[in-house]
Amino acid sequence: QVQLVESGGGLVQAGGSLRLSCAASRSIYSLDVIGWYRRAPGKPRELVAAITSGTSNYADSVKGRFTISRDGARNTLYLQMNSLKPEDTAVYYCHSQYFTTSFWGQGTQVTVSS
């Protein structure tokens, strides 16, 4: 079992920055996959960024603007979001895969005003 707790969402103007955090209940390096998804109103959930076997990958729409990172000492995953756009508005979810089981956080709202 893995508990994931997100924080750091909020309201920001276009061009601004936010950093999301995801605290995990077990060693973050023990997780096969850990990353961030988002769901915007009326749209399907999409992968934003993830770390798989130490390799980071990003959705094309966020490349160059978002950075995923992890802190093993704090068992925390981060998503640094810069140059935010109104289309980044969504609920952001932390996701992990441990063996064959997926775990999800409760989500944190990010709203970018134009």
Side-chain angles (χ1 to χ4, degrees):
Q1 191 77 2
V2 181
Q3 282 81 46
L4 303 169
V5 180
E6 302 102 332
S7 61
L11 173 64
V12 64
Q13 288 189 329
S17 298
L18 282 175
R19 188 177 78 159
L20 304 183
S21 299
C22 172
S25 62
R26 64 178 298 117
S27 169
I28 206 161
Y29 287 101
S30 71
L31 301 170
D32 301 296
V33 180
I34 187 157
W36 295 93
Y37 283 74
R38 67 185 180 189
R39 177 173 283 160
K43 294 184 178 181
R45 185 171 57 198
E46 64 172 348
L47 175 67
V48 177
I51 300 175
T52 304
S53 300
T55 299
S56 301
N57 57 87
Y58 297 88
D60 288 343
S61 58
V62 306
K63 282 180 182 176
R65 300 188 298 121
F66 291 11
T67 303
I68 190 171
S69 63
R70 53 188 175 176
D71 183 338
R74 292 180 169 81
N75 289 332
T76 300
L77 180 75
Y78 301 101
L79 185 68
Q80 178 66 44
M81 305 186 293
N82 299 329
S83 302
L84 282 160
K85 304 175 181 180
E87 51 264 43
D88 294 318
T89 295
V91 178
Y92 284 70
Y93 297 91
C94 184
H95 166 263
S96 73
Q97 182 172 315
Y98 185 58
F99 291 100
T100 59
T101 304
S102 283
F103 299 92
W104 295 90
Q106 81 286 354
T108 186
Q109 176 71 46
V110 171
T111 303
V112 184
S113 63
S114 56

